[in-house]
Amino acid sequence: MRNPSATRLLLVSSALLGLAGCRTPAEDRTVVPAPAGFAGFPTPAHAGEVWARAAFVTNHARLLGADLTREGILPVRLTVGRRGSAEGAPRVVAEAIDPHLYLQDGTVLEWVPAGEVARGGRARERVAELALPLTLLAPWDSAPSGFLFFRIPASVRVRDLHALSSAGGRHRELRLSRSLLAFAVLTDEGTRRIHVGLTEERLPER
Amino acid sequence: MFLLPAPPRAALASAVLVVLAGGCAAPAPGGAAAFPLAEGLLLLESGDPAAAGALLERDPLPAGALARFHAEALAARVHAVASLGAAFRTEITTAGGRGGPLGGPPSEAATRPSPTSHLVALLYHAAQARAQTAAAAADQQAGGDAILPAALAALEVEEIDAELELLSAVAYARLGFRAEVDSFVARSPALVDLEGFPAALDRRRVPAALRPWVGEMVSHHLRSRDEVAAYRFGVLAIEGAERFGHALPPEVVAEIERWIVAESRYLFVCPESQTPFLPGARRSPKSGIPHLEYVPVERPRGGGR
């Protein structure tokens, strides 16, 4: 009996290879599947009283007005809040946040300010509206969410929930949900760095 | 540090030249004999994880389970070493620098080494290797190690698997994921035995600079189970970090010291002079007895916790 997830994986890998304009694995590069035994990083996660949850919204075009992965941008929805007291006034500020996204093989995706994402029209407005708010952290139960944006490097192709990373003599098939987000919040005592795993989200169809 | 004695400089240079000369050739076919395991190992042992990493990425992975297991395990070790002050991956920091709110233009950007990228890569390669442990062990039983470099053929697959599990746990600890670390320590009784601790690390070939991290994660795990043992592993971690060139970040050392001084239910004091544990010191200023030999006494009321 055919395994539907294996079939799907094969289709996605083929599509990614097609996008990458690569030769097939039978030629000079092998495709290394994502490691089966790696469950990814915890989400939500916390550092002290600061909690965070990060998600890749597969159909984010419904919110942002465009599929940004086609423009070389990976949007990540981040929820960040605090549990316990507000001692130290933890807050998200542009000077400290310094976010990075690490794909499963460690490939670094650099942060792109919202103002540099989506060149025009409705998407530009939506990106500005839905970017991560700069604010004092709210209690975790009512913490707001917002998007951070990361530039997809030329060596990486993204399709649906997968990425294909190419280096040296091989391609690596990666799961986006095994990625790691790092960022920092500012407190009265200094910056606090937080690592949180990425999860997958799909908005309900209308 | 890992598997081989330091090679003579001339031999190493020759090996590297051979490797570099091959760099322009077409990718090697998938056999273990063609994959540059020995050369990668030499480069790593000589203190050049960047060159070792580039070499291991150059060719397609070898076809056999055992050779592929070793290739991924070696890549995991490369990233473990690189994450400790030898990072060859970089990232752009924007700390202190974006001009306005998240929509504003960058006013400052700088490239810095990215140990986090190496930690994530370590976990990736360790998972790739460990997914093949059973097949690699079977391959080894069947004599498949005959085509491996001697230094690798001498190692049992299960031993390397245990080494990779420990390296992964340390990576989780460094990223702040305590639950993953606790679950690893809980199923590793050899690590929580203070006397057997060095031998357990030797068996897993843990690099010297990573050992303070293992002490830190064992100490942290034991805080809710055995505070006296947690104290001793904490002191081991602090002293090891100093010995191996500040292998723990200052904030991690400070956190251990804070727990000892203010959060443990005990005060730890010199058995002779009764002087308490002193952050930043290594022994009693009066008796000279090292912190590791301090003893627990009940903390007076109002004295912390």
Side-chain angles (χ1 to χ4, degrees), chain B residues 3-29:
Chain B
L3 305 168
L4 296 174
R9 189 172 291 270
L12 177 66
S14 306
V16 171
L17 281 174
V18 168
V19 167
L20 292 177
C24 301

Short mmCIF file of all heavy atoms in Angstrom, two decimals, chain B residues 3-29:
data_model
loop_
_atom_site.label_atom_id
_atom_site.label_comp_id
_atom_site.label_asym_id
_atom_site.label_seq_id
_atom_site.Cartn_x
_atom_site.Cartn_y
_atom_site.Cartn_z
N LEU B 3 39.89 11.86 18.53
CA LEU B 3 40.16 10.46 18.25
C LEU B 3 41.62 10.18 17.93
O LEU B 3 42.08 9.09 18.10
CB LEU B 3 39.31 10.03 17.04
CG LEU B 3 37.83 10.27 17.20
CD1 LEU B 3 37.12 10.09 15.88
CD2 LEU B 3 37.25 9.33 18.21
N LEU B 4 42.31 11.18 17.45
CA LEU B 4 43.66 10.93 16.99
C LEU B 4 44.64 11.77 17.78
O LEU B 4 44.31 12.85 18.22
CB LEU B 4 43.81 11.33 15.51
CG LEU B 4 43.00 10.57 14.50
CD1 LEU B 4 43.17 11.20 13.12
CD2 LEU B 4 43.46 9.13 14.47
N PRO B 5 45.87 11.29 17.96
CA PRO B 5 46.90 12.17 18.51
C PRO B 5 47.19 13.27 17.49
O PRO B 5 46.93 13.10 16.29
CB PRO B 5 48.10 11.24 18.69
CG PRO B 5 47.84 10.11 17.75
CD PRO B 5 46.36 9.97 17.63
N ALA B 6 47.71 14.40 17.96
CA ALA B 6 48.00 15.49 17.04
C ALA B 6 49.00 15.01 16.00
O ALA B 6 50.05 14.48 16.34
CB ALA B 6 48.57 16.67 17.81
N PRO B 7 48.70 15.13 14.71
CA PRO B 7 49.60 14.63 13.70
C PRO B 7 50.80 15.57 13.52
O PRO B 7 50.69 16.75 13.81
CB PRO B 7 48.74 14.63 12.44
CG PRO B 7 47.72 15.69 12.69
CD PRO B 7 47.50 15.74 14.16
N PRO B 8 51.91 15.05 13.06
CA PRO B 8 53.04 15.94 12.78
C PRO B 8 52.61 16.98 11.75
O PRO B 8 51.82 16.69 10.86
CB PRO B 8 54.10 14.99 12.20
CG PRO B 8 53.65 13.62 12.57
CD PRO B 8 52.17 13.67 12.75
N ARG B 9 53.16 18.19 11.87
CA ARG B 9 52.71 19.29 11.02
C ARG B 9 52.92 18.97 9.53
O ARG B 9 52.06 19.24 8.70
CB ARG B 9 53.51 20.54 11.42
CG ARG B 9 53.01 21.82 10.79
CD ARG B 9 53.73 22.99 11.39
NE ARG B 9 53.35 23.20 12.78
CZ ARG B 9 52.34 23.97 13.15
NH1 ARG B 9 51.62 24.57 12.27
NH2 ARG B 9 52.05 24.11 14.42
N ALA B 10 54.08 18.35 9.20
CA ALA B 10 54.36 18.09 7.79
C ALA B 10 53.36 17.09 7.21
O ALA B 10 52.85 17.26 6.11
CB ALA B 10 55.78 17.54 7.64
N ALA B 11 53.07 16.06 8.00
CA ALA B 11 52.12 15.05 7.52
C ALA B 11 50.75 15.67 7.33
O ALA B 11 50.05 15.40 6.35
CB ALA B 11 52.04 13.89 8.51
N LEU B 12 50.41 16.53 8.26
CA LEU B 12 49.11 17.18 8.18
C LEU B 12 49.04 18.06 6.94
O LEU B 12 48.07 18.03 6.18
CB LEU B 12 48.87 18.02 9.43
CG LEU B 12 47.58 18.81 9.41
CD1 LEU B 12 46.39 17.84 9.44
CD2 LEU B 12 47.51 19.74 10.59
N ALA B 13 50.12 18.84 6.71
CA ALA B 13 50.13 19.72 5.55
C ALA B 13 49.98 18.91 4.26
O ALA B 13 49.26 19.30 3.35
CB ALA B 13 51.43 20.53 5.53
N SER B 14 50.67 17.76 4.22
CA SER B 14 50.56 16.92 3.02
C SER B 14 49.14 16.45 2.83
O SER B 14 48.60 16.49 1.72
CB SER B 14 51.46 15.68 3.15
OG SER B 14 52.76 16.09 3.43
N ALA B 15 48.54 16.02 3.93
CA ALA B 15 47.16 15.52 3.84
C ALA B 15 46.23 16.61 3.35
O ALA B 15 45.38 16.39 2.49
CB ALA B 15 46.70 15.01 5.20
N VAL B 16 46.42 17.82 3.87
CA VAL B 16 45.54 18.91 3.48
C VAL B 16 45.75 19.26 2.02
O VAL B 16 44.80 19.51 1.28
CB VAL B 16 45.78 20.13 4.39
CG1 VAL B 16 45.03 21.34 3.86
CG2 VAL B 16 45.35 19.81 5.80
N LEU B 17 47.03 19.23 1.57
CA LEU B 17 47.29 19.53 0.16
C LEU B 17 46.62 18.51 -0.75
O LEU B 17 46.05 18.85 -1.78
CB LEU B 17 48.81 19.55 -0.09
CG LEU B 17 49.51 20.83 0.36
CD1 LEU B 17 51.01 20.70 0.22
CD2 LEU B 17 48.99 22.02 -0.44
N VAL B 18 46.70 17.26 -0.34
CA VAL B 18 46.04 16.21 -1.13
C VAL B 18 44.55 16.49 -1.22
O VAL B 18 43.94 16.42 -2.29
CB VAL B 18 46.29 14.82 -0.50
CG1 VAL B 18 45.39 13.77 -1.13
CG2 VAL B 18 47.76 14.43 -0.67
N VAL B 19 44.00 16.88 -0.09
CA VAL B 19 42.56 17.18 -0.06
C VAL B 19 42.24 18.36 -0.96
O VAL B 19 41.32 18.33 -1.78
CB VAL B 19 42.13 17.50 1.39
CG1 VAL B 19 40.74 18.10 1.39
CG2 VAL B 19 42.16 16.23 2.22
N LEU B 20 43.05 19.41 -0.84
CA LEU B 20 42.76 20.61 -1.63
C LEU B 20 42.94 20.34 -3.11
O LEU B 20 42.20 20.85 -3.95
CB LEU B 20 43.68 21.76 -1.18
CG LEU B 20 43.41 22.27 0.22
CD1 LEU B 20 44.41 23.36 0.59
CD2 LEU B 20 42.00 22.81 0.34
N ALA B 21 43.92 19.53 -3.43
CA ALA B 21 44.14 19.22 -4.84
C ALA B 21 42.93 18.53 -5.44
O ALA B 21 42.62 18.70 -6.61
CB ALA B 21 45.38 18.32 -4.99
N GLY B 22 42.27 17.76 -4.61
CA GLY B 22 41.08 17.07 -5.09
C GLY B 22 39.87 17.97 -5.18
O GLY B 22 38.83 17.59 -5.70
N GLY B 23 39.99 19.19 -4.66
CA GLY B 23 38.84 20.08 -4.58
C GLY B 23 38.27 20.47 -5.93
O GLY B 23 37.11 20.83 -6.03
N CYS B 24 39.11 20.43 -6.99
CA CYS B 24 38.62 20.85 -8.30
C CYS B 24 38.03 19.69 -9.08
O CYS B 24 37.46 19.88 -10.14
CB CYS B 24 39.77 21.44 -9.11
SG CYS B 24 40.51 22.86 -8.29
N ALA B 25 38.19 18.50 -8.55
CA ALA B 25 37.71 17.34 -9.31
C ALA B 25 36.20 17.24 -9.20
O ALA B 25 35.57 17.90 -8.40
CB ALA B 25 38.36 16.08 -8.75
N ALA B 26 35.65 16.40 -10.03
CA ALA B 26 34.21 16.14 -9.95
C ALA B 26 33.90 15.49 -8.62
O ALA B 26 34.77 14.87 -8.00
CB ALA B 26 33.81 15.21 -11.10
N PRO B 27 32.66 15.61 -8.15
CA PRO B 27 32.31 14.99 -6.88
C PRO B 27 32.62 13.50 -6.90
O PRO B 27 32.46 12.83 -7.92
CB PRO B 27 30.80 15.23 -6.77
CG PRO B 27 30.54 16.40 -7.63
CD PRO B 27 31.54 16.34 -8.73
N ALA B 28 33.05 13.02 -5.74
CA ALA B 28 33.44 11.63 -5.68
C ALA B 28 32.21 10.74 -5.76
O ALA B 28 31.13 11.13 -5.36
CB ALA B 28 34.16 11.38 -4.36
N PRO B 29 32.37 9.54 -6.28
CA PRO B 29 31.27 8.60 -6.23
C PRO B 29 30.95 8.24 -4.79
O PRO B 29 31.72 8.55 -3.88
CB PRO B 29 31.80 7.38 -7.00
CG PRO B 29 33.28 7.52 -6.99
CD PRO B 29 33.57 8.97 -6.91
#
